[in-house]
Amino acid sequence: MTTIADLSRQMPDTSGINFYTADPDLSYHMRQSLSTEDFERAQGILSRMGEVASQRMDELAQVANRQGPVLIQYDKRGQRIDRVVFHPAYHELERIAYEDFAIAACTHREGALGWPGKVPQQVKFALGYLGMQAEAGVFCPVSMTDALARVLERHASEPFRRRFLPALTAMKMDELKQGAMFLTEKQGGSDVGLTATIARPRPGENFADDTLQPQWELWGDKWFCSNVSADLILTLARPEGAPAGTRGLGLFLVPRTLDDGTRNAYTINRLKDKLGTRSLATGEVTLHGAQAYLVGNLERGFVQMTEMINLTRIWAAFGSLAAMRRSFLEALTYTRERVAFGRPLAEHPLMRRQLVDLLIEVEGCAALAFETVAVLERVDRHGVEEDRRLLRILTPLSKYYIPKRGEYVTIEALEMLGGNGYIEEWANPRLLRDAIVNVVWEGSSNVIVLDVARAMAREGVDAALFAMLKNRLQALQNAVVVPVAQEVLTQIHHVSERVRSLPTLNEESAQLPLRGLVERMAQLTIITLLLE
Ligand SMILES: Cc1cc2nc3c(=O)[nH]c(=O)nc-3n(C[C@H](O)[C@H](O)[C@H](O)COP(=O)(O)OP(=O)(O)OC[C@H]3O[C@@H](n4cnc5c(N)ncnc54)[C@H](O)[C@@H]3O)c2cc1C
């Protein structure tokens, strides 16, 4: 008779495996980019998250994704309430992310997680990486709350920051105000310049100089609104009479609830029925003169907004990286134990080859992602121009390349579990579904590639990248890697020549090789980092 022990040997999964202690590559990245003291400090926190993610969060995620949010539009007296109701499992996931691990707050607030000062970006993203191996949905609001705080830190006035940042970075659920960004409209997600939402100064009020009052009201429709029940929403709208395109857009903060406790004037029309991130409430919203605060400079709304988008782009890359790593771990665990044709699957040459391929994909993408956040941390701490330019290119490279590889790795790993990989009770279907969205949101692939092209043309960021790669390759001394490094240097030369030739082409033709070039730049960065 087959016992339970036999069955779990025949069909093993990762339960009980600490996602952090089982991941030497992650601790390598932490050791590489943190000071010795910070590395030591991070150990306990990451190990705790590794354990919570692999067990508690994973169980909660299964429930929260199966029993997703529901929109209640009216109360029993027929009054419009637009309340989003989540399964308690989702609230518990929120509590773990915001309270236990302070992920949205820790890089903004001194002393979070017992850290002296602010937690380094690398540690925050490592926490997210581990958490997202269990659950993707709840990390969309976490990332937007984190990114909204960043926008306010950089672009809002001191009194404005004092007013909103404490709640955005609160580490208790009953004090927390979560963030969201409602940008996409029906006629344009990528082409934000088409934004049709109108901003009007609120009539009849006398608070022209008081920026702590919602001086504006917004009218329009927003078509994709994740974390739709958020407390504070960043959005773009065009003041009447402002020019067309992104230049005419102002950046506004819309509170869900007004100071007098009443609902702000917007409705949630429905929730989206999505392929993935099913625990997350993504809605469609109409702003009916919603009261809004102006953030920063009215003429620089879009530029200020990019601060948020660039951070959420890094979060999107980490979302896919997490799905890749978890998929790989599931495949490795499964194939090591499951026996076919007289030996464990993982010992068959074809399967071994597949595992090694996936491991290289995961570790390559992890190298790119953690390099990006190490540079982000340097930019935040020291603000050196060269690092800023590096970050400007590493962010879209990560956002383009990692989610694309995520599609491949999550499908490949699913197949390695055979039929079980296709079944909802196993982690793979959810990992696959949740990974795909990272290709689409925060700018789809073509849009990201065009962003890289813009940054190269306007800011010469390719030169910063190639110089960094060359320096690192030339510093390598190991006899085995030096010839490979030489080959990579030659490839870098070819790619930089091709980039330099782009301005000689007409505008349309210059776009044709871009995807290939961006992919190549990401790969050359990864190879350089792996050689180290
Ligand atoms: C689950 C989910 C949640 C989301 N949550 C939010 C949210 O909270 N807030 C928010 O603002 N948005 C959100 N979005 C919207 C998302 O950011 C947009 O869907 C995305 O930016 C693409 O915009 P679009 O859907 O209008 O597609 P389009 O802009 O119509 O693009 C369609 C396709 O055309 C390509 N394309 C566009 N321009 C060019 C070009 N110049 N050259 C070549 N190809 C081009 C794009 O890459 C894309 O593949 C969410 C989307 C999803 C799926």
Side-chain angles (χ1 to χ4, degrees), residues 1 23 41 87 104 210 308 319 372 381 453-454 463 473 486:
M1 199 181 98
D23 188 351
R41 254 191 291 277
H87 191 280
D210 185 356
M308 181 152 182
T372 304
R381 302 256 166 186
R454 239 185 337 266
L473 287 164
Q486 283 306 326

Side-chain angles (χ1 to χ4, degrees), residues 140 144 180-191 222-227 272 274 276-277 280 282 437 439-448 450 511 515:
C140 169
M144 291 195 293
M181 58 173 172
F182 298 176
L183 304 184
T184 304
E185 299 188 358
K186 281 186 189 164
Q187 71 285 0
S190 311
D191 193 354
K222 298 291 175 181
W223 184 232
F224 274 93
C225 306
S226 290
N227 202 18
K272 302 275 194 194
K274 295 174 290 177
T277 61
L280 165 72
T282 302
V437 79
V439 175
V440 176
W441 65 15
E442 315 305 338
S444 312
S445 301
N446 288 349
V447 171
I448 299 294
L450 291 170
Q511 289 190 13
R515 277 182 84 127

Side-chain angles (χ1 to χ4, degrees), residues 147-157 160-161 164 168 211-216 218 232-237 249-255 292-305 307-308:
L148 175 48
R150 186 176 179 85
V151 174
L152 298 191
E153 279 165 355
R154 276 161 182 68
H155 299 295
S157 65
F160 201 89
R161 293 203 297 268
F164 292 106
L168 264 175
T211 54
L212 289 183
Q213 295 290 337
Q215 300 170 333
W216 295 80
L218 307 187
L232 293 170
I233 298 142
L234 209 56
T235 193
L236 290 167
L249 295 173
L251 182 61
F252 297 93
L253 188 70
V254 179
Y293 302 86
L294 175 67
V295 179
N297 186 331
L298 184 61
E299 281 80 40
R300 293 182 57 77
F302 180 72
V303 175
Q304 295 169 163
M305 187 73 217
E307 191 81 55
M308 181 152 182

Side-chain angles (χ1 to χ4, degrees), residues 308-325:
M308 181 152 182
I309 297 169
N310 279 327
L311 195 67
T312 49
R313 282 184 176 167
I314 299 178
W315 272 106
F318 269 91
S320 279
L321 181 65
M324 291 164 78
R325 168 69 199 170

Side-chain angles (χ1 to χ4, degrees), residues 118-297:
K118 293 177 182 169
V119 169
Q121 295 283 353
Q122 300 94 306
V123 176
K124 173 186 76 185
F125 277 102
L127 284 169
Y129 175 47
L130 293 166
M132 286 187 286
Q133 290 180 42
E135 154 69 2
V138 80
F139 277 90
C140 169
V142 168
S143 70
M144 291 195 293
T145 306
D146 171 31
L148 175 48
R150 186 176 179 85
V151 174
L152 298 191
E153 279 165 355
R154 276 161 182 68
H155 299 295
S157 65
E158 173 61 28
F160 201 89
R161 293 203 297 268
R162 267 206 310 275
R163 164 93 186 265
F164 292 106
L165 276 177
L168 264 175
T169 60
M171 294 180 288
K172 290 269 168 247
M173 289 311 290
D174 51 4
E175 295 165 11
L176 176 72
K177 288 197 186 302
Q178 294 187 29
M181 58 173 172
F182 298 176
L183 304 184
T184 304
E185 299 188 358
K186 281 186 189 164
Q187 71 285 0
S190 311
D191 193 354
V192 179
L194 293 178
T195 295
T197 298
I198 289 173
R200 293 193 185 117
R202 278 175 61 211
E205 304 272 355
N206 186 17
F207 41 55
D209 293 329
D210 185 356
T211 54
L212 289 183
Q213 295 290 337
Q215 300 170 333
W216 295 80
E217 58 183 36
L218 307 187
W219 300 83
D221 289 307
K222 298 291 175 181
W223 184 232
F224 274 93
C225 306
S226 290
N227 202 18
V228 69
S229 50
D231 308 283
L232 293 170
I233 298 142
L234 209 56
T235 193
L236 290 167
R238 194 179 308 282
E240 281 176 313
T246 50
R247 262 204 292 266
L249 295 173
L251 182 61
F252 297 93
L253 188 70
V254 179
R256 185 178 61 170
T257 309
L258 301 176
D259 284 349
D260 63 5
T262 57
R263 289 178 54 206
N264 203 351
Y266 63 87
T267 47
I268 304 174
N269 305 326
R270 60 175 173 160
L271 297 187
K272 302 275 194 194
D273 186 6
K274 295 174 290 177
L275 172 67
T277 61
R278 296 185 70 89
S279 62
L280 165 72
T282 302
E284 297 164 13
V285 163
T286 300
L287 303 156
H288 308 270
Q291 294 187 22
Y293 302 86
L294 175 67
V295 179
N297 186 331

